Amino acid sequence: MGRITNQLMAIQYRIDAAAEEYGRDPETIQLIAVSKTFPSAAIEEAMHAGQRAFGENYVQEAVDKIKQLDKLRPWLEWHFIGPLQSNKTAEIAEHFDWMHTIDRLKIAERLSVQREPHARLGPLQVCVQVNISGEESKSGVHPSEALALCEQIAPLRGLTLRGLMAIPEPTQNPNEQRKSFAAVRELFESIRMQKEMTAGFHNFDTLSMGMSEDLEAAIAEGATMIRVGSAIFGQRPPSAKIEA
Ligand SMILES: *Cc1c(COP(=O)(O)O)cnc(C)c1O
């Protein structure tokens, strides 16, 4: 069995164990395999092991791989999870199924218009990125602005608003990890409760949080999508930072 296949099984085991420990149904936790910096051959191996959803951070690298794997497109689900400049939105609208890192209206508006010619892919599924740790350098909206941004995105055609995404400041301390994830979950639940009867919020069901080092804490706090890279594909070159 290949190394990637093995690592995927190990991650699924961690997901199942955490789900069991925290009383979650493992079927409600989707694994996004983060393949940034790894070649399309690695994605193919993961796909043959049953993995369908892949996350990418860099537009050009991602589009190259999506094109190389075009024959497999119907089986694959592409998630953009990196920081995005507004002059790169067209590529996202043309190639991706999900966009996790919306942090301003302008990006959402451009994606909405640019998705139209690619309607065969269905609406682009989008999450609003929240800056939960309050670090100056990271992107994401301030938690107090998340609801307002969601309200602006919800009516946009070509997009389906799905929920929130966050990348808390990394820490080895499981209690600190859980505290950050809990803050995202509370924000998510409060938006969901306030908006449950509102058009455009009927699919607001996604909490994208948790990576190789902290997926258990994220599952404990309600993550429905975890984004795992190095624990599946191996170490990346140090220049490929975790950022969004
Ligand atoms: C790279 C990256 C990941 C995966 O991180 P690992 O620690 O390798 O699991 C998850 N989310 C985002 C936004 C990333 O940039």
Side-chain angles (χ1 to χ4, degrees):
M1 215 188 314
R3 189 180 55 90
I4 291 171
T5 306
N6 271 321
Q7 311 262 56
L8 271 171
M9 287 177 60
I11 290 294
Q12 195 54 54
Y13 181 83
R14 281 175 67 187
I15 295 171
D16 291 346
E20 166 98 32
E21 178 166 1
Y22 299 109
R24 303 272 319 271
D25 174 358
E27 298 290 319
T28 63
I29 303 158
Q30 189 187 359
L31 172 62
I32 313 300
V34 177
S35 43
K36 64 178 173 217
T37 78
F38 290 95
S40 48
I43 296 171
E44 267 191 275
E45 180 179 344
M47 197 204 89
H48 288 300
Q51 179 64 28
R52 294 188 53 191
F54 293 89
E56 290 281 345
N57 288 54
Y58 312 107
V59 176
Q60 196 50 56
E61 178 197 332
V63 170
D64 289 347
K65 286 189 266 185
I66 292 171
K67 287 183 176 162
Q68 286 161 21
L69 296 168
D70 190 50
K71 280 210 190 75
L72 303 170
R73 186 66 182 88
W75 288 275
L76 296 173
E77 191 178 274
W78 291 104
H79 294 244
F80 192 78
I81 62 171
L84 186 66
Q85 294 165 333
S86 57
N87 62 355
K88 300 275 177 63
T89 52
E91 279 97 335
I92 304 301
E94 181 176 354
H95 293 288
F96 279 82
D97 300 294
W98 281 73
M99 163 64 180
H100 290 233
T101 50
I102 293 190
D103 62 358
R104 53 199 193 277
L105 181 60
K106 184 182 173 192
I107 296 271
E109 286 174 336
R110 291 176 61 96
L111 289 169
S112 166
V113 172
Q114 290 166 341
R115 188 66 162 187
E116 246 182 311
H118 309 291
R120 72 192 147 75
L121 289 173
L124 183 66
Q125 310 294 305
V126 304
C127 292
V128 164
Q129 183 182 358
V130 180
N131 181 352
I132 211 69
S133 309
E135 292 162 273
E136 290 289 325
S137 58
K138 286 234 179 98
S139 35
V141 289
H142 189 274
S144 65
E145 289 156 15
L147 172 61
L149 182 55
C150 287
E151 287 172 333
Q152 290 174 308
I153 292 172
L156 297 179
R157 65 196 147 77
L159 309 184
T160 301
L161 177 64
R162 295 302 300 269
L164 302 182
M165 178 271 203
I167 314 170
E169 201 176 350
T171 160
Q172 303 290 337
N173 179 332
N175 292 329
E176 293 295 317
Q177 291 171 352
R178 280 192 65 167
K179 236 185 348 199
S180 305
F181 290 136
V184 191
R185 172 178 46 77
E186 281 160 23
L187 180 61
F188 171 72
E189 282 171 357
S190 119
I191 294 174
R192 201 153 56 152
M193 254 162 30
Q194 288 175 68
K195 291 286 157 186
E196 63 185 344
M197 309 303 254
T198 310
F201 281 83
H202 298 307
N203 298 293
F204 196 83
D205 59 4
T206 300
L207 201 41
S208 165
M209 58 187 195
M211 313 193 294
S212 295
E213 300 291 326
D214 56 13
L215 67 90
E216 282 83 3
I219 289 171
E221 296 299 341
T224 67
M225 278 187 179
I226 57 173
R227 310 175 308 265
V228 179
S230 47
I232 297 170
F233 294 107
Q235 287 304 316
R236 292 180 295 272
S239 58
K241 290 193 296 280
I242 291 163
E243 46 163 13

